[in-house]
Amino acid sequence: MTFDQLEELSAAAMEAMQEGDTAAALLCFERLLAVERRPLYVSCLAYCVARERGEFKRAVSLCKNAIKDEPKNAAHFLLLGRIHLLAGQKKDAIRIFRMGLRHQRSVDIQRELDRLGVRRDPPVPFLRRDNPVNRVLGKALKIIGVR
């Protein structure tokens, strides 16, 4: 496969992912990885595998390997978080999204967090969220504009 063909296949795979056609993207990423192993291709393949085949353990493993290769790339954290959402693991997804934001600012991750409606940590973290101290203190902090 020539360099131009690789770039063309890569662009087609990314476009298919953007449009939500993960079945077509899955085929493209499998072909790409047979020739060249890039961490971005691995994490994209992981998301496609989770969405199309429901192989969540394999997908999480693939994505974590991509994160090991490129730990500062927020795209891997975005895809891993989405895999956790597909698996019904919202709490883990939020944790992964926040971890990704610590490494690199990402509009897509922030959009996912906003869509999920993530709550802030309680003012006194060692107390439960529904504890009266946290409830009153949280309301007071919001009124004075600190929170």
Side-chain angles (χ1 to χ4, degrees):
M1 197 176 276
T2 67
F3 179 76
D4 291 338
Q5 290 173 326
L6 276 174
E7 290 300 313
E8 210 172 282
L9 187 59
S10 175
M14 292 299 185
E15 185 179 330
M17 282 257 313
Q18 289 289 336
E19 294 174 359
D21 187 5
T22 51
L26 177 66
L27 296 174
C28 292
F29 284 120
E30 284 176 338
R31 287 185 57 205
L32 281 168
L33 284 170
V35 177
E36 182 180 17
R37 189 165 180 86
R38 287 187 188 172
L40 183 61
Y41 296 162
V42 173
S43 60
C44 289
L45 175 73
Y47 176 73
C48 293
V49 164
R51 186 151 179 219
E52 290 300 315
R53 298 181 183 157
E55 298 175 12
F56 300 116
K57 284 186 179 183
R58 178 178 174 225
V60 167
S61 175
L62 285 169
C63 223
K64 284 184 177 180
N65 287 335
I67 289 173
K68 284 179 187 173
D69 293 340
E70 284 183 349
K72 302 234 185 254
N73 190 342
H76 303 309
F77 291 96
L78 173 68
L79 293 169
L80 181 58
R82 287 180 176 171
I83 290 168
H84 280 292
L85 286 176
L86 288 173
Q89 302 165 342
K90 183 178 175 181
K91 201 174 205 177
D92 290 333
I94 291 170
R95 182 180 52 81
I96 295 295
F97 288 146
R98 286 181 176 165
M99 198 181 305
L101 285 178
R102 274 187 252 136
H103 291 290
Q104 180 184 22
R105 283 278 148 210
S106 170
V107 175
D108 293 328
I109 290 178
Q110 192 60 54
R111 196 174 301 133
E112 285 286 341
L113 286 171
D114 292 343
R115 185 179 63 79
L116 290 171
V118 179
R119 297 168 92 180
R120 295 181 186 178
D121 290 334
V124 183
F126 58 84
L127 295 176
R128 290 178 44 137
R129 181 176 298 282
D130 60 349
N131 186 294
V133 172
N134 269 333
R135 295 181 68 202
V136 171
L137 189 56
K139 289 176 184 177
L141 291 173
K142 186 172 182 172
I143 289 171
I144 62 173
V146 176
R147 228 172 128 86

mmCIF file of all heavy atoms in Angstrom, residues 22-68:
data_model
loop_
_atom_site.group_PDB
_atom_site.id
_atom_site.type_symbol
_atom_site.label_atom_id
_atom_site.label_comp_id
_atom_site.label_asym_id
_atom_site.label_seq_id
_atom_site.Cartn_x
_atom_site.Cartn_y
_atom_site.Cartn_z
ATOM 1 N N THR A 22 -19.723 3.586 12.082
ATOM 2 C CA THR A 22 -18.622 2.852 12.699
ATOM 3 C C THR A 22 -18.352 1.504 12.028
ATOM 4 O O THR A 22 -17.252 0.983 12.149
ATOM 5 C CB THR A 22 -18.888 2.639 14.202
ATOM 6 O OG1 THR A 22 -20.186 2.095 14.375
ATOM 7 C CG2 THR A 22 -18.756 3.938 14.961
ATOM 8 N N ALA A 23 -19.325 0.977 11.303
ATOM 9 C CA ALA A 23 -19.095 -0.288 10.600
ATOM 10 C C ALA A 23 -18.071 -0.090 9.485
ATOM 11 O O ALA A 23 -17.122 -0.874 9.344
ATOM 12 C CB ALA A 23 -20.409 -0.832 10.031
ATOM 13 N N ALA A 24 -18.239 0.971 8.711
ATOM 14 C CA ALA A 24 -17.281 1.272 7.639
ATOM 15 C C ALA A 24 -15.934 1.670 8.224
ATOM 16 O O ALA A 24 -14.874 1.270 7.723
ATOM 17 C CB ALA A 24 -17.820 2.388 6.750
ATOM 18 N N ALA A 25 -15.967 2.445 9.298
ATOM 19 C CA ALA A 25 -14.724 2.870 9.941
ATOM 20 C C ALA A 25 -13.963 1.666 10.496
ATOM 21 O O ALA A 25 -12.730 1.617 10.414
ATOM 22 C CB ALA A 25 -15.019 3.874 11.048
ATOM 23 N N LEU A 26 -14.686 0.706 11.035
ATOM 24 C CA LEU A 26 -14.065 -0.500 11.588
ATOM 25 C C LEU A 26 -13.255 -1.221 10.517
ATOM 26 O O LEU A 26 -12.093 -1.591 10.746
ATOM 27 C CB LEU A 26 -15.139 -1.423 12.161
ATOM 28 C CG LEU A 26 -14.685 -2.773 12.716
ATOM 29 C CD1 LEU A 26 -13.816 -2.584 13.940
ATOM 30 C CD2 LEU A 26 -15.888 -3.627 13.068
ATOM 31 N N LEU A 27 -13.837 -1.389 9.362
ATOM 32 C CA LEU A 27 -13.125 -2.062 8.267
ATOM 33 C C LEU A 27 -11.881 -1.280 7.861
ATOM 34 O O LEU A 27 -10.814 -1.863 7.645
ATOM 35 C CB LEU A 27 -14.056 -2.238 7.067
ATOM 36 C CG LEU A 27 -15.272 -3.134 7.287
ATOM 37 C CD1 LEU A 27 -16.193 -3.100 6.081
ATOM 38 C CD2 LEU A 27 -14.823 -4.552 7.592
ATOM 39 N N CYS A 28 -12.015 0.032 7.759
ATOM 40 C CA CYS A 28 -10.878 0.872 7.369
ATOM 41 C C CYS A 28 -9.756 0.807 8.406
ATOM 42 O O CYS A 28 -8.584 0.668 8.049
ATOM 43 C CB CYS A 28 -11.317 2.322 7.183
ATOM 44 S SG CYS A 28 -12.401 2.602 5.783
ATOM 45 N N PHE A 29 -10.103 0.903 9.679
ATOM 46 C CA PHE A 29 -9.073 0.876 10.725
ATOM 47 C C PHE A 29 -8.389 -0.482 10.812
ATOM 48 O O PHE A 29 -7.193 -0.563 11.079
ATOM 49 C CB PHE A 29 -9.647 1.288 12.077
ATOM 50 C CG PHE A 29 -9.873 2.765 12.186
ATOM 51 C CD1 PHE A 29 -11.141 3.264 12.423
ATOM 52 C CD2 PHE A 29 -8.832 3.664 12.046
ATOM 53 C CE1 PHE A 29 -11.358 4.625 12.524
ATOM 54 C CE2 PHE A 29 -9.034 5.026 12.142
ATOM 55 C CZ PHE A 29 -10.305 5.513 12.377
ATOM 56 N N GLU A 30 -9.131 -1.554 10.575
ATOM 57 C CA GLU A 30 -8.505 -2.879 10.567
ATOM 58 C C GLU A 30 -7.481 -2.979 9.445
ATOM 59 O O GLU A 30 -6.391 -3.516 9.626
ATOM 60 C CB GLU A 30 -9.562 -3.978 10.446
ATOM 61 C CG GLU A 30 -10.319 -4.217 11.733
ATOM 62 C CD GLU A 30 -11.434 -5.236 11.602
ATOM 63 O OE1 GLU A 30 -11.929 -5.468 10.469
ATOM 64 O OE2 GLU A 30 -11.825 -5.803 12.638
ATOM 65 N N ARG A 31 -7.817 -2.432 8.275
ATOM 66 C CA ARG A 31 -6.871 -2.428 7.147
ATOM 67 C C ARG A 31 -5.676 -1.542 7.449
ATOM 68 O O ARG A 31 -4.544 -1.898 7.139
ATOM 69 C CB ARG A 31 -7.567 -1.964 5.873
ATOM 70 C CG ARG A 31 -8.520 -3.011 5.318
ATOM 71 C CD ARG A 31 -9.139 -2.621 3.995
ATOM 72 N NE ARG A 31 -8.133 -2.335 2.998
ATOM 73 C CZ ARG A 31 -8.342 -1.535 1.947
ATOM 74 N NH1 ARG A 31 -9.516 -0.956 1.783
ATOM 75 N NH2 ARG A 31 -7.393 -1.319 1.070
ATOM 76 N N LEU A 32 -5.923 -0.395 8.054
ATOM 77 C CA LEU A 32 -4.827 0.518 8.394
ATOM 78 C C LEU A 32 -3.866 -0.115 9.399
ATOM 79 O O LEU A 32 -2.641 0.003 9.256
ATOM 80 C CB LEU A 32 -5.376 1.830 8.968
ATOM 81 C CG LEU A 32 -5.920 2.836 7.976
ATOM 82 C CD1 LEU A 32 -6.686 3.929 8.703
ATOM 83 C CD2 LEU A 32 -4.794 3.434 7.149
ATOM 84 N N LEU A 33 -4.411 -0.766 10.407
ATOM 85 C CA LEU A 33 -3.564 -1.362 11.436
ATOM 86 C C LEU A 33 -2.780 -2.568 10.928
ATOM 87 O O LEU A 33 -1.755 -2.913 11.501
ATOM 88 C CB LEU A 33 -4.400 -1.744 12.660
ATOM 89 C CG LEU A 33 -4.802 -0.564 13.527
ATOM 90 C CD1 LEU A 33 -5.823 -0.969 14.570
ATOM 91 C CD2 LEU A 33 -3.587 0.061 14.189
ATOM 92 N N ALA A 34 -3.247 -3.173 9.862
ATOM 93 C CA ALA A 34 -2.489 -4.273 9.266
ATOM 94 C C ALA A 34 -1.199 -3.755 8.632
ATOM 95 O O ALA A 34 -0.208 -4.482 8.538
ATOM 96 C CB ALA A 34 -3.344 -4.986 8.217
ATOM 97 N N VAL A 35 -1.215 -2.474 8.246
ATOM 98 C CA VAL A 35 -0.053 -1.874 7.591
ATOM 99 C C VAL A 35 0.773 -1.032 8.558
ATOM 100 O O VAL A 35 1.993 -1.132 8.604
ATOM 101 C CB VAL A 35 -0.507 -0.999 6.395
ATOM 102 C CG1 VAL A 35 0.674 -0.313 5.744
ATOM 103 C CG2 VAL A 35 -1.278 -1.825 5.396
ATOM 104 N N GLU A 36 0.098 -0.197 9.342
ATOM 105 C CA GLU A 36 0.787 0.749 10.214
ATOM 106 C C GLU A 36 0.051 0.854 11.553
ATOM 107 O O GLU A 36 -1.149 1.080 11.583
ATOM 108 C CB GLU A 36 0.823 2.122 9.533
ATOM 109 C CG GLU A 36 1.537 3.178 10.294
ATOM 110 C CD GLU A 36 1.548 4.511 9.574
ATOM 111 O OE1 GLU A 36 0.739 4.716 8.649
ATOM 112 O OE2 GLU A 36 2.358 5.343 9.970
ATOM 113 N N ARG A 37 0.791 0.724 12.638
ATOM 114 C CA ARG A 37 0.170 0.734 13.967
ATOM 115 C C ARG A 37 0.387 2.092 14.629
ATOM 116 O O ARG A 37 1.418 2.329 15.249
ATOM 117 C CB ARG A 37 0.743 -0.381 14.823
ATOM 118 C CG ARG A 37 -0.004 -0.574 16.121
ATOM 119 C CD ARG A 37 0.349 -1.906 16.760
ATOM 120 N NE ARG A 37 -0.358 -2.104 17.994
ATOM 121 C CZ ARG A 37 -1.571 -2.617 18.092
ATOM 122 N NH1 ARG A 37 -2.210 -2.983 17.009
ATOM 123 N NH2 ARG A 37 -2.139 -2.767 19.263
ATOM 124 N N ARG A 38 -0.588 2.973 14.503
ATOM 125 C CA ARG A 38 -0.572 4.277 15.166
ATOM 126 C C ARG A 38 -1.538 4.224 16.350
ATOM 127 O O ARG A 38 -2.611 3.628 16.252
ATOM 128 C CB ARG A 38 -1.051 5.379 14.223
ATOM 129 C CG ARG A 38 -0.080 5.744 13.147
ATOM 130 C CD ARG A 38 -0.581 6.954 12.400
ATOM 131 N NE ARG A 38 0.237 7.208 11.232
ATOM 132 C CZ ARG A 38 -0.070 8.110 10.320
ATOM 133 N NH1 ARG A 38 -1.163 8.833 10.432
ATOM 134 N NH2 ARG A 38 0.725 8.291 9.285
ATOM 135 N N PRO A 39 -1.179 4.876 17.463
ATOM 136 C CA PRO A 39 -2.069 4.857 18.636
ATOM 137 C C PRO A 39 -3.468 5.409 18.338
ATOM 138 O O PRO A 39 -4.456 4.880 18.864
ATOM 139 C CB PRO A 39 -1.335 5.735 19.651
ATOM 140 C CG PRO A 39 0.096 5.628 19.261
ATOM 141 C CD PRO A 39 0.104 5.507 17.767
ATOM 142 N N LEU A 40 -3.568 6.427 17.490
ATOM 143 C CA LEU A 40 -4.887 6.973 17.164
ATOM 144 C C LEU A 40 -5.747 5.942 16.440
ATOM 145 O O LEU A 40 -6.935 5.815 16.720
ATOM 146 C CB LEU A 40 -4.762 8.243 16.321
ATOM 147 C CG LEU A 40 -6.080 8.925 15.993
ATOM 148 C CD1 LEU A 40 -6.796 9.365 17.270
ATOM 149 C CD2 LEU A 40 -5.848 10.115 15.084
ATOM 150 N N TYR A 41 -5.132 5.182 15.538
ATOM 151 C CA TYR A 41 -5.877 4.137 14.837
ATOM 152 C C TYR A 41 -6.361 3.066 15.821
ATOM 153 O O TYR A 41 -7.469 2.556 15.697
ATOM 154 C CB TYR A 41 -5.013 3.467 13.759
ATOM 155 C CG TYR A 41 -4.572 4.351 12.628
ATOM 156 C CD1 TYR A 41 -3.515 3.976 11.807
ATOM 157 C CD2 TYR A 41 -5.193 5.569 12.353
ATOM 158 C CE1 TYR A 41 -3.094 4.766 10.755
ATOM 159 C CE2 TYR A 41 -4.776 6.365 11.308
ATOM 160 C CZ TYR A 41 -3.726 5.961 10.507
ATOM 161 O OH TYR A 41 -3.320 6.747 9.465
ATOM 162 N N VAL A 42 -5.517 2.746 16.787
ATOM 163 C CA VAL A 42 -5.865 1.711 17.773
ATOM 164 C C VAL A 42 -7.063 2.145 18.612
ATOM 165 O O VAL A 42 -8.010 1.382 18.804
ATOM 166 C CB VAL A 42 -4.652 1.383 18.679
ATOM 167 C CG1 VAL A 42 -5.056 0.440 19.804
ATOM 168 C CG2 VAL A 42 -3.523 0.768 17.862
ATOM 169 N N SER A 43 -7.034 3.405 19.090
ATOM 170 C CA SER A 43 -8.153 3.847 19.929
ATOM 171 C C SER A 43 -9.436 4.002 19.106
ATOM 172 O O SER A 43 -10.522 3.718 19.602
ATOM 173 C CB SER A 43 -7.807 5.132 20.680
ATOM 174 O OG SER A 43 -7.502 6.168 19.801
ATOM 175 N N CYS A 44 -9.312 4.428 17.862
ATOM 176 C CA CYS A 44 -10.505 4.516 17.001
ATOM 177 C C CYS A 44 -11.070 3.126 16.715
ATOM 178 O O CYS A 44 -12.288 2.927 16.736
ATOM 179 C CB CYS A 44 -10.169 5.232 15.694
ATOM 180 S SG CYS A 44 -9.875 7.001 15.874
ATOM 181 N N LEU A 45 -10.187 2.175 16.459
ATOM 182 C CA LEU A 45 -10.624 0.794 16.254
ATOM 183 C C LEU A 45 -11.329 0.277 17.506
ATOM 184 O O LEU A 45 -12.364 -0.384 17.417
ATOM 185 C CB LEU A 45 -9.434 -0.111 15.917
ATOM 186 C CG LEU A 45 -9.775 -1.595 15.806
ATOM 187 C CD1 LEU A 45 -10.538 -1.878 14.527
ATOM 188 C CD2 LEU A 45 -8.529 -2.443 15.896
ATOM 189 N N ALA A 46 -10.795 0.624 18.669
ATOM 190 C CA ALA A 46 -11.388 0.179 19.930
ATOM 191 C C ALA A 46 -12.830 0.670 20.051
ATOM 192 O O ALA A 46 -13.728 -0.090 20.413
ATOM 193 C CB ALA A 46 -10.553 0.676 21.106
ATOM 194 N N TYR A 47 -13.046 1.945 19.733
ATOM 195 C CA TYR A 47 -14.405 2.493 19.806
ATOM 196 C C TYR A 47 -15.332 1.777 18.818
ATOM 197 O O TYR A 47 -16.465 1.428 19.160
ATOM 198 C CB TYR A 47 -14.387 3.994 19.530
ATOM 199 C CG TYR A 47 -15.760 4.599 19.503
ATOM 200 C CD1 TYR A 47 -16.488 4.771 20.680
ATOM 201 C CD2 TYR A 47 -16.360 4.978 18.305
ATOM 202 C CE1 TYR A 47 -17.762 5.313 20.658
ATOM 203 C CE2 TYR A 47 -17.624 5.518 18.277
ATOM 204 C CZ TYR A 47 -18.321 5.684 19.448
ATOM 205 O OH TYR A 47 -19.589 6.206 19.419
ATOM 206 N N CYS A 48 -14.835 1.547 17.604
ATOM 207 C CA CYS A 48 -15.654 0.865 16.593
ATOM 208 C C CYS A 48 -15.988 -0.562 17.011
ATOM 209 O O CYS A 48 -17.115 -1.031 16.814
ATOM 210 C CB CYS A 48 -14.929 0.863 15.252
ATOM 211 S SG CYS A 48 -14.740 2.492 14.507
ATOM 212 N N VAL A 49 -15.017 -1.251 17.607
ATOM 213 C CA VAL A 49 -15.243 -2.626 18.081
ATOM 214 C C VAL A 49 -16.307 -2.636 19.174
ATOM 215 O O VAL A 49 -17.203 -3.488 19.189
ATOM 216 C CB VAL A 49 -13.911 -3.246 18.591
ATOM 217 C CG1 VAL A 49 -14.159 -4.480 19.434
ATOM 218 C CG2 VAL A 49 -13.013 -3.576 17.417
ATOM 219 N N ALA A 50 -16.236 -1.662 20.073
ATOM 220 C CA ALA A 50 -17.228 -1.593 21.158
ATOM 221 C C ALA A 50 -18.614 -1.303 20.610
ATOM 222 O O ALA A 50 -19.595 -1.919 21.033
ATOM 223 C CB ALA A 50 -16.828 -0.518 22.162
ATOM 224 N N ARG A 51 -18.683 -0.391 19.677
ATOM 225 C CA ARG A 51 -19.992 0.016 19.161
ATOM 226 C C ARG A 51 -20.615 -1.029 18.246
ATOM 227 O O ARG A 51 -21.821 -1.279 18.308
ATOM 228 C CB ARG A 51 -19.847 1.344 18.425
ATOM 229 C CG ARG A 51 -21.158 1.909 17.996
ATOM 230 C CD ARG A 51 -21.153 3.392 17.926
ATOM 231 N NE ARG A 51 -22.457 3.835 17.492
ATOM 232 C CZ ARG A 51 -22.645 4.833 16.665
ATOM 233 N NH1 ARG A 51 -21.626 5.531 16.229
ATOM 234 N NH2 ARG A 51 -23.856 5.168 16.299
ATOM 235 N N GLU A 52 -19.812 -1.630 17.401
ATOM 236 C CA GLU A 52 -20.348 -2.571 16.409
ATOM 237 C C GLU A 52 -20.470 -4.001 16.936
ATOM 238 O O GLU A 52 -21.426 -4.687 16.622
ATOM 239 C CB GLU A 52 -19.470 -2.568 15.148
ATOM 240 C CG GLU A 52 -19.567 -1.290 14.352
ATOM 241 C CD GLU A 52 -20.979 -1.003 13.871
ATOM 242 O OE1 GLU A 52 -21.661 -1.925 13.374
ATOM 243 O OE2 GLU A 52 -21.396 0.159 13.977
ATOM 244 N N ARG A 53 -19.485 -4.427 17.708
ATOM 245 C CA ARG A 53 -19.454 -5.825 18.138
ATOM 246 C C ARG A 53 -19.793 -6.020 19.609
ATOM 247 O O ARG A 53 -19.989 -7.150 20.050
ATOM 248 C CB ARG A 53 -18.074 -6.420 17.850
ATOM 249 C CG ARG A 53 -17.735 -6.430 16.373
ATOM 250 C CD ARG A 53 -16.387 -7.032 16.121
ATOM 251 N NE ARG A 53 -16.049 -6.961 14.708
ATOM 252 C CZ ARG A 53 -14.822 -7.001 14.236
ATOM 253 N NH1 ARG A 53 -13.800 -7.131 15.065
ATOM 254 N NH2 ARG A 53 -14.601 -6.909 12.940
ATOM 255 N N GLY A 54 -19.795 -4.939 20.374
ATOM 256 C CA GLY A 54 -20.100 -5.044 21.796
ATOM 257 C C GLY A 54 -19.005 -5.710 22.606
ATOM 258 O O GLY A 54 -19.254 -6.195 23.704
ATOM 259 N N GLU A 55 -17.781 -5.709 22.090
ATOM 260 C CA GLU A 55 -16.644 -6.315 22.792
ATOM 261 C C GLU A 55 -15.977 -5.243 23.653
ATOM 262 O O GLU A 55 -14.937 -4.693 23.303
ATOM 263 C CB GLU A 55 -15.654 -6.901 21.784
ATOM 264 C CG GLU A 55 -16.228 -8.004 20.940
ATOM 265 C CD GLU A 55 -15.270 -8.506 19.866
ATOM 266 O OE1 GLU A 55 -14.077 -8.156 19.908
ATOM 267 O OE2 GLU A 55 -15.732 -9.243 18.988
ATOM 268 N N PHE A 56 -16.584 -4.965 24.801
ATOM 269 C CA PHE A 56 -16.144 -3.846 25.627
ATOM 270 C C PHE A 56 -14.795 -4.099 26.301
ATOM 271 O O PHE A 56 -13.967 -3.187 26.376
ATOM 272 C CB PHE A 56 -17.215 -3.505 26.661
ATOM 273 C CG PHE A 56 -18.516 -3.118 26.038
ATOM 274 C CD1 PHE A 56 -19.645 -3.891 26.228
ATOM 275 C CD2 PHE A 56 -18.614 -1.992 25.236
ATOM 276 C CE1 PHE A 56 -20.854 -3.550 25.642
ATOM 277 C CE2 PHE A 56 -19.813 -1.643 24.651
ATOM 278 C CZ PHE A 56 -20.944 -2.419 24.845
ATOM 279 N N LYS A 57 -14.552 -5.307 26.777
ATOM 280 C CA LYS A 57 -13.271 -5.601 27.431
ATOM 281 C C LYS A 57 -12.119 -5.428 26.449
ATOM 282 O O LYS A 57 -11.094 -4.831 26.780
ATOM 283 C CB LYS A 57 -13.264 -7.016 28.008
ATOM 284 C CG LYS A 57 -14.046 -7.164 29.284
ATOM 285 C CD LYS A 57 -13.878 -8.541 29.866
ATOM 286 C CE LYS A 57 -14.662 -8.648 31.161
ATOM 287 N NZ LYS A 57 -14.479 -9.951 31.802
ATOM 288 N N ARG A 58 -12.289 -5.959 25.259
ATOM 289 C CA ARG A 58 -11.249 -5.824 24.229
ATOM 290 C C ARG A 58 -11.054 -4.358 23.864
ATOM 291 O O ARG A 58 -9.927 -3.887 23.723
ATOM 292 C CB ARG A 58 -11.626 -6.637 22.998
ATOM 293 C CG ARG A 58 -10.616 -6.507 21.889
ATOM 294 C CD ARG A 58 -10.960 -7.364 20.680
ATOM 295 N NE ARG A 58 -10.035 -7.085 19.613
ATOM 296 C CZ ARG A 58 -10.390 -6.905 18.351
ATOM 297 N NH1 ARG A 58 -11.658 -7.019 18.004
ATOM 298 N NH2 ARG A 58 -9.496 -6.636 17.433
ATOM 299 N N ALA A 59 -12.146 -3.641 23.739
ATOM 300 C CA ALA A 59 -12.077 -2.229 23.360
ATOM 301 C C ALA A 59 -11.357 -1.408 24.426
ATOM 302 O O ALA A 59 -10.498 -0.580 24.103
ATOM 303 C CB ALA A 59 -13.481 -1.679 23.125
ATOM 304 N N VAL A 60 -11.676 -1.649 25.686
ATOM 305 C CA VAL A 60 -11.013 -0.918 26.777
ATOM 306 C C VAL A 60 -9.517 -1.241 26.785
ATOM 307 O O VAL A 60 -8.679 -0.348 26.936
ATOM 308 C CB VAL A 60 -11.665 -1.262 28.143
ATOM 309 C CG1 VAL A 60 -10.819 -0.770 29.296
ATOM 310 C CG2 VAL A 60 -13.069 -0.667 28.206
ATOM 311 N N SER A 61 -9.175 -2.497 26.582
ATOM 312 C CA SER A 61 -7.773 -2.906 26.557
ATOM 313 C C SER A 61 -7.020 -2.222 25.416
ATOM 314 O O SER A 61 -5.906 -1.718 25.608
ATOM 315 C CB SER A 61 -7.690 -4.428 26.421
ATOM 316 O OG SER A 61 -6.361 -4.839 26.277
ATOM 317 N N LEU A 62 -7.613 -2.205 24.239
ATOM 318 C CA LEU A 62 -6.986 -1.544 23.091
ATOM 319 C C LEU A 62 -6.770 -0.055 23.357
ATOM 320 O O LEU A 62 -5.708 0.503 23.072
ATOM 321 C CB LEU A 62 -7.841 -1.729 21.829
ATOM 322 C CG LEU A 62 -7.820 -3.085 21.156
ATOM 323 C CD1 LEU A 62 -8.911 -3.167 20.090
ATOM 324 C CD2 LEU A 62 -6.458 -3.344 20.535
ATOM 325 N N CYS A 63 -7.777 0.573 23.906
ATOM 326 C CA CYS A 63 -7.705 2.009 24.163
ATOM 327 C C CYS A 63 -6.655 2.326 25.230
ATOM 328 O O CYS A 63 -5.928 3.313 25.124
ATOM 329 C CB CYS A 63 -9.072 2.538 24.567
ATOM 330 S SG CYS A 63 -9.471 4.090 23.792
ATOM 331 N N LYS A 64 -6.580 1.501 26.251
ATOM 332 C CA LYS A 64 -5.566 1.716 27.291
ATOM 333 C C LYS A 64 -4.158 1.550 26.732
ATOM 334 O O LYS A 64 -3.233 2.258 27.138
ATOM 335 C CB LYS A 64 -5.801 0.775 28.474
ATOM 336 C CG LYS A 64 -6.958 1.213 29.337
ATOM 337 C CD LYS A 64 -7.121 0.330 30.546
ATOM 338 C CE LYS A 64 -8.256 0.852 31.410
ATOM 339 N NZ LYS A 64 -8.456 0.023 32.612
ATOM 340 N N ASN A 65 -3.987 0.635 25.778
ATOM 341 C CA ASN A 65 -2.685 0.491 25.123
ATOM 342 C C ASN A 65 -2.335 1.743 24.330
ATOM 343 O O ASN A 65 -1.182 2.176 24.323
ATOM 344 C CB ASN A 65 -2.666 -0.730 24.208
ATOM 345 C CG ASN A 65 -2.617 -2.030 24.982
ATOM 346 O OD1 ASN A 65 -2.152 -2.065 26.118
ATOM 347 N ND2 ASN A 65 -3.103 -3.095 24.383
ATOM 348 N N ALA A 66 -3.313 2.328 23.676
ATOM 349 C CA ALA A 66 -3.077 3.568 22.931
ATOM 350 C C ALA A 66 -2.702 4.698 23.892
ATOM 351 O O ALA A 66 -1.833 5.517 23.583
ATOM 352 C CB ALA A 66 -4.317 3.941 22.120
ATOM 353 N N ILE A 67 -3.346 4.734 25.046
ATOM 354 C CA ILE A 67 -3.028 5.763 26.050
ATOM 355 C C ILE A 67 -1.609 5.570 26.576
ATOM 356 O O ILE A 67 -0.899 6.549 26.810
ATOM 357 C CB ILE A 67 -4.068 5.748 27.192
ATOM 358 C CG1 ILE A 67 -5.402 6.292 26.678
ATOM 359 C CG2 ILE A 67 -3.582 6.561 28.387
ATOM 360 C CD1 ILE A 67 -6.550 6.173 27.650
ATOM 361 N N LYS A 68 -1.168 4.327 26.725
ATOM 362 C CA LYS A 68 0.210 4.082 27.162
ATOM 363 C C LYS A 68 1.209 4.623 26.142
ATOM 364 O O LYS A 68 2.258 5.140 26.509
ATOM 365 C CB LYS A 68 0.448 2.583 27.370
ATOM 366 C CG LYS A 68 -0.143 2.041 28.634
ATOM 367 C CD LYS A 68 0.120 0.561 28.762
ATOM 368 C CE LYS A 68 -0.626 -0.011 29.954
ATOM 369 N NZ LYS A 68 -0.523 -1.468 30.027
#
